Amino acid sequence: MKKVLIVGSGIAGLSCAISCAEKGMEATLVSPFPSERSQSVLAAGGINAVINSGETSDSIESHIEDTLKGGCFIAGENAVKGLCESASDILRWLVKLGTVFTTDSDGSVCRRAFGGQSHRRTCYCGSATGKQIVTALVMEARRYEGLGLIKRRLWTDFYCTLIRDGVCYGALFYNEATGAPEILTADSVVIATGGQNALFGKTTGSKSCDGYAAGRLFMQGVELKNLEFIQYHPTTMATDQKMMLVSEAARGEGGRLYYEEKGKRVYFMEDKFGENGNLMPRDIVSRCIEETGKQVFLDISFLGKEKILKRLPEVYELCMKYRGIDVSKESIPVSPAVHFFMGGIAVKNNHETNIRNLYAIGECASIYHGANRLGGNSLLAALYGGKVAAASIGSRTFEKRDIDFSVEHKEASEKLRSMRESKSTYPVMYIRDMLAESMQENLGIVRSSEKLDKGLDDVSFYLSVADKIHYDSSELAYFGYSLPGILTLAKATLICAKSRQESRGAHYRSDFPDTKEEWKAATIISYDDGKYRTYLDTEGRYEN
Ligand SMILES: Cc1cc2nc3c(=O)[nH]c(=O)nc-3n(C[C@H](O)[C@H](O)[C@H](O)COP(=O)(O)OP(=O)(O)OC[C@H]3O[C@@H](n4cnc5c(N)ncnc54)[C@H](O)[C@@H]3O)c2cc1C
């Protein structure tokens, strides 16, 4: 029986594990936390699919066109075509597994308008789409667990992959219970570790998504792609805990953005782009908010309490619970915050990386979203990517090889020991916080060569001390050993942003404000013994 090791148990990891089990393969799902605590459960707005009910003027061609256009024409056409064509089957699969979508009185799945899309095609489960999908997938995974086809390992953190001669044979983990490294071998390894939120201070996402796996793989020879494209969500609300997302659905239902000047409201998006101005793509809205230099508000009060409670209950609850704002009477103070990563691990259309038998899926992989992602496309991409990777692994035959990985095991044991004994004065969490501050400041919505250089100086300094840091034994060892990988990813991201001398999608350079035809391709970055090398993938090396 083929063995598949999946690192990360959010929606992408679950989708892959179930798809492997459906094909009779044995999948081991590894993560520090249960799926119910993955970032996927935060998804509220919905998932895109063209379905034949209600408004029927929508088409798969239109979904493909919107996705390519939203991504500023640097996502691979064939990959996007596969994604959009599969959407309605994926929706049916989710329904079959027990996901409860919101329906109209005639029983057809409701759809809402989302930014940058020509039709209402975002299907949703009340205000808890991610939670509903995770619950259904977990139930199915448990069923396969009972059949012995899925194994779930918790409290286990990724350390590195086990690679020989360009082929992956498994991965090394840090076992939180024993405090020791542990090797798991498999025919294929699938990385599904989510985005890189912890690299930034203000984020709508989970800080347990720190990009370490992508950073460490990069150091092991895996190429990364389009790291400079980071999506800021335009409407987030500051709370004591984090930046809370005020769903795009609020603008989809007619919400209006404005700021106040001399006691009057200025509806700046409508002034600039006409009546649909509030629903422009996220990068444009975020930049326009930043340009106002003022506190911006989102008004949905005119919808009335009844409609708000019916259509946007999560927005009502969120604002009331965290800020005591009654949105049926008052406007919401909003500002942009880091939300989604279009860039990540470079994968071909079957989701394999440049290392054989090593795959990446979900938000940690870069393939469908180009320079900007449409709301509702990432849940779809996470589910689809899991299925595509499982199909590719299922179609392969694997050679059995007995390889000795004691060198990697010994090196990890030594690293953990030396960290505990280190006496330096730089605590790990302090450096993580400083990094987040610097990234926020220097890799924001509007970038410039000067700021990117400042960011690079900061990260280079943190990297120079990363191996000498004091490891406080009350902290999880993971925070200590992951630091160099996280910093390396941060440096690679800044280098990609500096290398792209144009503005496109979510990447805006004040010193290169125009979009240029010669930059219409993905950025690839590789690492070789401390050297970073970028190139533009004009030949579409990853688009097959
Ligand atoms: C607030 C919010 C709202 C959103 N709303 C929508 C929406 O409405 N529609 C939409 O399409 N998208 C939405 N998104 C984006 C979407 O939710 C994510 O892109 C998607 O869920 C990512 O799924 P994933 O499985 O790739 O990653 P995740 O769900 O982030 O899962 C990552 C997994 O990897 C594990 N992991 C992380 N690091 C390690 C490590 N070092 N070792 C081992 N395991 C590790 C984690 O524990 C977790 O199990 C939203 C995102 C946010 C933050």
Side-chain angles (χ1 to χ4, degrees):
M1 189 188 289
K2 287 177 198 170
K3 286 189 173 179
V4 185
L5 181 59
I6 302 166
V7 187
S9 65
I11 282 179
L14 284 165
S15 163
C16 188
I18 295 167
S19 305
C20 287
E22 284 171 352
K23 293 178 193 318
M25 298 185 270
E26 184 194 280
T28 303
L29 257 179
V30 184
S31 58
F33 311 111
S35 302
E36 293 84 344
R37 279 190 60 197
S38 66
Q39 179 169 283
S40 289
V41 297
L42 297 178
I47 174 169
N48 294 335
V50 175
I51 47 175
N52 294 323
S53 63
E55 183 201 336
T56 52
S57 63
D58 197 5
S59 66
I60 292 171
E61 289 68 35
S62 171
H63 188 187
I64 296 170
E65 201 181 309
D66 289 348
T67 304
L68 291 171
K69 190 172 162 210
C72 303
F73 305 103
I74 60 163
E77 269 187 58
N78 287 336
V80 169
K81 197 162 171 273
L83 174 81
C84 300
E85 282 174 351
S86 76
S88 59
D89 281 347
I90 285 181
L91 203 81
R92 272 191 288 277
W93 183 64
L94 290 176
V95 171
K96 196 178 114 207
L97 297 187
T99 312
V100 183
F101 282 93
T102 301
T103 51
D104 278 335
S105 49
D106 69 356
S108 56
V109 174
C110 292
R111 282 148 296 166
R112 53 174 46 136
F114 254 31
Q117 304 205 49
S118 55
H119 292 80
R120 284 181 176 261
R121 69 166 75 94
T122 308
C123 310
Y124 56 97
C125 311
S127 52
T129 310
K131 225 178 264 175
Q132 275 284 341
I133 295 176
V134 167
T135 306
L137 295 180
V138 166
M139 291 301 290
E140 184 68 352
R142 285 205 177 128
R143 195 172 70 77
Y144 278 115
E145 211 171 1
L147 295 170
L149 289 172
I150 290 184
K151 291 182 179 159
R152 292 191 296 164
R153 286 283 308 264
L154 293 176
W155 323 123
T156 309
D157 304 272
F158 177 74
Y159 189 95
C160 67
T161 41
L162 302 170
I163 298 171
R164 289 284 185 282
D165 304 324
V167 184
C168 181
Y169 294 96
L172 187 71
F173 294 90
Y174 167 67
N175 183 323
E176 289 180 23
T178 62
E182 184 179 350
I183 283 175
L184 294 177
T185 54
D187 294 308
S188 284
V189 175
V190 183
I191 305 293
T193 47
Q196 304 139 27
N197 304 71
L199 287 190
F200 295 83
K202 290 183 183 174
T203 166
T204 58
S206 161
K207 291 202 184 147
S208 63
C209 291
D210 59 13
Y212 166 67
R216 181 65 200 229
L217 289 175
F218 179 59
M219 294 167 80
Q220 291 192 277
V222 174
E223 293 190 325
L224 305 182
K225 181 178 157 192
N226 284 344
L227 295 178
E228 65 272 34
F229 297 110
I230 297 164
Q231 183 174 81
Y232 277 72
H233 197 290
T235 58
T236 75
M237 184 179 70
T239 70
D240 291 344
Q241 282 86 5
K242 61 189 287 232
M243 300 305 287
M244 290 288 182
L245 182 80
V246 180
S247 172
E248 195 159 294
R251 282 173 293 130
E253 296 293 346
R256 302 177 75 189
L257 290 164
Y258 71 90
Y259 61 82
E260 282 177 353
E261 201 166 60
K262 295 181 188 148
K264 284 203 173 132
R265 288 185 175 190
V266 179
Y267 292 100
F268 59 99
M269 290 307 296
E270 293 162 51
D271 291 349
K272 206 163 181 177
F273 300 102
E275 63 174 326
N276 283 330
N278 295 295
L279 269 180
M280 291 300 284
R282 293 174 180 182
D283 58 313
I284 296 178
V285 184
S286 294
R287 230 163 19 248
C288 289
I289 293 179
E290 173 117 331
E291 276 165 13
T292 68
K294 295 195 161 61
Q295 174 62 64
V296 165
F297 296 89
L298 176 63
D299 184 14
I300 55 168
S301 63
F302 55 87
L303 294 172
K305 191 162 179 177
E306 201 184 319
K307 198 164 177 188
I308 292 173
L309 287 178
K310 188 158 174 247
R311 298 273 183 87
L312 302 164
E314 79 283 10
V315 176
Y316 187 88
E317 280 159 28
L318 187 90
C319 295
M320 188 55 94
K321 184 169 168 190
Y322 290 98
R323 294 283 298 265
I325 296 172
D326 178 349
V327 294
S328 66
K329 296 190 181 120
E330 301 163 78
S331 298
I332 313 160
V334 290
S335 57
V338 167
H339 180 57
F340 183 85
F341 299 86
M342 276 71 74
I345 301 167
V347 291
K348 296 169 224 156
N349 287 357
N350 66 353
H351 279 266
E352 195 175 26
T353 67
N354 58 316
I355 301 293
R356 189 155 173 87
N357 299 336
L358 177 63
Y359 292 74
I361 56 173
E363 195 168 333
C364 70
S366 179
I367 172 165
Y368 304 107
H369 311 297
N372 205 0
R373 167 194 73 120
L374 297 182
N377 262 0
S378 52
L379 288 177
L380 176 63
L383 289 154
Y384 177 67
K387 285 176 168 290
V388 170
S392 170
I393 297 164
S395 68
R396 291 238 167 116
T397 44
F398 297 95
E399 228 181 279
K400 290 280 164 242
R401 284 186 63 189
D402 206 10
I403 302 174
D404 179 10
F405 293 110
S406 56
V407 175
E408 282 90 343
H409 192 277
K410 202 168 156 220
E411 188 237 86
S413 306
E414 181 55 27
K415 171 80 192 163
L416 293 167
R417 188 195 58 75
S418 73
M419 252 171 31
R420 283 186 197 108
E421 290 171 6
S422 146
K423 294 272 184 296
S424 162
T425 51
Y426 295 101
V428 177
M429 297 318 271
Y430 175 70
I431 295 185
R432 268 193 169 219
D433 288 348
M434 296 287 286
L435 171 70
E437 221 170 275
S438 174
M439 293 294 272
Q440 190 80 46
E441 175 62 27
N442 299 309
L443 194 63
I445 297 173
V446 177
R447 294 133 186 212
S448 66
S449 205
E450 202 184 324
K451 284 207 159 190
L452 294 167
D453 280 339
K454 171 76 178 66
L456 279 166
D457 282 350
D458 289 349
V459 176
S460 299
F461 170 70
Y462 303 141
L463 266 169
S464 73
V465 295
D467 271 332
K468 309 178 189 94
I469 47 158
H470 165 69
Y471 164 67
D472 178 344
S473 56
S474 65
E475 286 168 357
L476 195 60
Y478 174 76
F479 289 118
Y481 77 73
S482 63
L483 193 62
I486 289 170
L487 291 169
T488 303
L489 177 67
K491 184 164 177 179
T493 307
L494 288 156
I495 289 173
C496 288
K498 186 147 186 243
S499 78
R500 185 172 285 276
Q501 297 188 348
E502 66 153 358
S503 293
R504 183 183 293 272
H507 175 69
Y508 186 82
R509 292 274 305 252
S510 56
D511 43 358
F512 297 101
D514 299 326
T515 302
K516 296 179 190 153
E517 190 59 25
E518 66 264 34
W519 286 91
K520 196 172 147 193
T523 311
I524 306 289
I525 187 161
S526 59
Y527 180 91
D528 184 13
D529 202 17
K531 292 199 175 59
Y532 299 68
R533 197 174 73 87
T534 60
Y535 68 92
L536 271 187
D537 189 16
T538 45
E539 286 166 20
R541 272 188 50 218
Y542 278 94
E543 289 170 27
N544 54 52

